[in-house]
């Protein structure tokens, strides 16, 4: 393990003014996204869409890295250049989703455990050879009257820590993602409690598995009211609760924290990140690793004409990347949005 290389990759992922573009949708998820714009999901349309995103002019200015799905890591542009080479020349670090999805947790109806540890050492070796320098593993934790159970949190945090240790052994920076889902009518306080518990368990497990925190990134969900809650917390409340929760549970030696958007609106996700960074200085950079909140306007634009709207689609991505880049510095204003 080259410790210095791991640390410098992790730091580059959360460099000032930059964050991560998540485009690692599995086959089923990208089909759902394409269904919303009436585009058939084929290897070619998926390549065209992701090629458009990754060839956005100036993408490396605010995007430090992008998380790919296995298929994309192996694909080339229509002109035959590997997408990994495209990213490298744009200054965008290639990342790869390595979990194999969330499956029902036996004995715990309604709860999921993320799988993918079997054979992971060999897969990581191949991914490193293909150019991946960081990886992502997502666990999901739901809030309801009866969940989450301790068993669900423990099983998922154990798997996340074992995955993280294997990544570092392969020279790959682990991005550990325990997503507390936004779905439901729970309060900000409920979300805080579950998030704090999950993060404390996660870092206990990471210590047990000898994960080097200076070479690891946390992908966190924000502390936010459920999407069906009647009286949802304000931007300022979300920002304060999220930062406070992280300070109670995340070791200061961690290289950085990036957030998922998890169903928030594009501008809402930017405003939340900005409000956190306006609060002050923390032990770790706070940045973004958004999927939907970065891609949504581009997806709509491209979907209207997948041949003619490549440039205008890229302009939408460049705008959202710039807004989120400013939010990592606490320099975003909603008046910067087009209208
Ligand atoms: P969203 O920002 O759309 O939640 O996606 C981020 C991600 O990678 C979830 O694993």
């Amino acid at each position: 393990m080259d410790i210095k290389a791991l640390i410098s990759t992790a730091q580059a992922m959360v460099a000032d003014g930059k964050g991560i573009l998540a485009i690692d949708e599995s086959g089923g998820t990208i089909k759902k996204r394409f269904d919303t714009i009436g585009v058939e999901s084929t290897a070619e349309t998926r390549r065209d869409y992701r090629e458009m995103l990754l060839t956005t002019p100036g993408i490396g200015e605010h995007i430090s890295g992008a998380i790919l799905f296995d298929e994309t890591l192996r694909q080339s542009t229509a002109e035959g250049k590997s997408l990994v080479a495209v990213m490298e020349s744009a200054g965008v670090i290639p990342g790869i989703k390595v979990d194999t999805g969330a499956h029902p947790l036996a004995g715990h109806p309604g709860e999921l455990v993320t799988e993918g540890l079997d054979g992971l050492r060999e897969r990581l070796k191949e991914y490193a050879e293909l150019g991946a320098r960081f990886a992502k593993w997502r666990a999901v934790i739901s809030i309801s009257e009866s969940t989450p159970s301790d068993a669900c949190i423990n099983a998922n945090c154990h798997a996340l820590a074992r995955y993280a240790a294997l990544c570092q052994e392969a020279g790959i920076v682990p991005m550990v993602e325990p997503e507390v889902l936004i779905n439901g009518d729970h309060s900000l306080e409920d979300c805080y409690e579950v998030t704090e518990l999950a993060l404390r368990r996660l870092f206990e497990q990471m210590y047990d598995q000898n994960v080097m925190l200076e070479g690891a990134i946390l992908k966190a969900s924000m502390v936010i009211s459920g999407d069906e809650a009647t009286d949802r917390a304000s931007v300022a409340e979300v920002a304060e609760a999220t930062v406070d929760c992280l300070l109670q549970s995340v070791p200061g030696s961690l290289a950085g924290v990036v957030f998922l958007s998890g169903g928030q609106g594009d501008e809402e996700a930017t405003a939340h990140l900005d409000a956190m960074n306006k609060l002050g200085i923390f032990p770790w950079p706070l940045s973004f690793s958004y999927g939907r909140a970065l891609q949504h306007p581009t997806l709509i634009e491209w979907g209207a004409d997948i041949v003619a709207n490549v440039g205008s689609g890229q302009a939408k991505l460049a705008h959202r990347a710039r807004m989120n880049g400013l939010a990592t510095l606490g320099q975003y204003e909603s008046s910067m949005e087009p209208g």
Side-chain angles (χ1 to χ4, degrees):
M1 185 201 310
D2 181 344
I3 290 177
K4 277 196 182 151
L6 279 174
I7 294 175
S8 77
T9 299
Q11 288 177 348
M13 289 166 67
V14 289
D16 277 358
K18 294 189 187 190
I20 306 286
L21 169 65
I23 51 168
D24 59 324
E25 299 86 1
S26 61
T29 304
I30 194 74
K31 182 180 179 310
K32 269 195 242 157
R33 305 271 189 272
F34 279 12
D35 284 348
T36 66
I37 53 167
V39 171
E40 191 190 348
S41 177
T42 66
E44 198 180 338
T45 54
R46 292 191 291 274
R47 191 278 311 278
D48 288 349
Y49 176 63
R50 288 161 171 162
E51 175 179 343
M52 167 186 61
L53 298 172
L54 294 171
T55 56
T56 295
I59 186 173
E61 221 175 304
H62 300 292
I63 300 295
S64 56
I67 320 170
L68 310 181
F69 190 57
D70 180 280
E71 176 187 68
T72 319
L73 191 73
R74 301 170 195 278
Q75 279 179 322
S76 296
T77 63
E79 286 179 357
K81 185 171 177 182
S82 85
L83 289 173
V84 168
V86 166
M87 294 168 74
E88 281 165 351
S89 43
V92 175
I93 304 169
I96 178 78
K97 182 225 285 296
V98 302
D99 66 70
T100 57
H103 300 270
L105 178 63
H108 295 83
E111 295 195 288
L112 302 172
V113 63
T114 299
E115 295 183 357
L117 287 173
D118 289 352
L120 182 57
R121 175 174 277 133
E122 292 70 31
R123 289 196 292 129
L124 287 168
K125 187 165 177 286
E126 191 201 2
Y127 287 143
E129 283 162 8
L130 288 168
R133 288 168 52 205
F134 74 96
K136 181 190 106 171
W137 177 293
R138 171 176 177 258
V140 289
I141 296 159
S142 60
I143 304 181
S144 72
E145 286 291 312
S146 56
T147 64
S149 65
D150 261 9
C152 173
I153 292 184
N154 289 342
N156 277 299
C157 290
H158 179 76
L160 277 163
R162 296 230 354 246
Y163 136 83
L166 282 163
C167 284
Q168 291 190 332
E169 182 188 273
I172 289 179
V173 172
M175 178 187 272
V176 289
E177 181 181 11
E179 176 174 359
V180 177
L181 296 173
I182 200 170
N183 311 79
D185 61 2
H186 52 268
S187 65
L188 184 82
E189 291 73 23
D190 295 334
C191 183
Y192 186 115
E193 198 181 312
V194 170
T195 306
E196 183 184 14
L197 178 64
L199 291 175
R200 286 187 180 201
R201 290 279 161 78
L202 174 62
F203 286 100
E204 279 166 26
Q205 292 284 340
M206 302 251 278
Y207 283 123
D208 278 356
Q209 301 299 329
N210 286 338
V211 177
M212 196 234 323
L213 299 184
E214 296 86 340
I217 299 284
L218 170 68
K219 178 157 175 166
S221 41
M222 296 181 195
V223 174
I224 192 166
S225 319
D227 58 358
E228 288 163 24
T230 40
D231 189 16
R232 301 195 73 216
S234 66
V235 170
E237 287 166 336
V238 168
E240 276 168 33
T242 303
V243 166
D244 192 60
C245 183
L246 293 176
L247 287 169
Q248 299 307 319
S249 52
V250 178
S253 53
L254 189 78
V257 179
V258 294
F259 293 100
L260 57 98
S261 58
Q264 296 180 38
D266 318 332
E267 294 177 22
E268 184 188 12
T270 308
H272 282 144
L273 178 63
D274 180 67
M276 286 184 228
N277 280 305
K278 280 190 167 82
L279 283 176
I281 297 174
F282 326 104
W284 356 255
L286 294 184
S287 183
F288 58 92
S289 173
Y290 294 156
R292 284 161 286 180
L294 273 171
Q295 293 180 56
H296 180 251
T298 306
L299 184 72
I300 304 293
E301 179 70 17
W302 180 73
D305 188 332
I306 68 172
V307 177
N309 288 3
V310 168
S312 52
Q314 290 176 329
K316 301 268 186 208
L317 175 64
H319 174 72
R320 286 258 57 80
R322 194 168 78 81
M323 294 298 103
N324 285 300
L326 288 169
T328 69
L329 305 169
Q331 293 173 4
Y332 166 78
E333 301 296 337
S334 57
S335 58
M336 295 167 174
E337 301 290 356

